[in-house]
Amino acid sequence: MTLTQEIKNNPYLKLSNCTDISDLETAMDYLRKLDVQFGEQNKTLLKIWTKFLDKKNKLQNTQNK
């Protein structure tokens, strides 16, 4: 399966479907598997990682207030 197909087939890899840190952790676990399969320097995966880490930081900051 291609990277695009893998991303489309996993609902957690749609950022809007991740509503809490648990969802983000699940998505990141899957991203780690994709890193192994497609390479950690894959530009598409790096962009996705950035978006998910940003959202996780925002959620953590919200919870800490």
Side-chain angles (χ1 to χ4, degrees):
M1 201 176 312
T2 67
L3 178 57
T4 302
Q5 290 170 324
E6 292 278 357
I7 292 169
K8 286 182 179 180
N9 287 338
N10 189 318
Y12 282 107
L13 294 182
K14 185 173 182 185
L15 194 59
S16 62
N17 288 340
C18 295
T19 57
D20 59 26
I21 291 178
S22 176
D23 291 343
L24 289 166
E25 289 294 336
T26 300
M28 289 179 186
D29 287 342
Y30 192 71
L31 281 172
R32 287 181 191 92
K33 292 177 186 175
L34 293 178
D35 280 344
V36 171
Q37 187 175 352
F38 294 98
E40 293 177 359
Q41 298 304 315
N42 182 290
K43 289 182 181 183
T44 301
L45 289 174
L46 290 172
K47 288 177 186 176
I48 294 171
W49 271 109
T50 300
K51 290 177 184 177
F52 277 82
L53 290 171
D54 285 346
K55 184 161 185 177
K56 183 178 179 184
N57 286 335
K58 288 176 185 174
L59 286 173
Q60 286 176 329
N61 288 338
T62 302
Q63 288 180 351
N64 291 336
K65 290 184 179 181

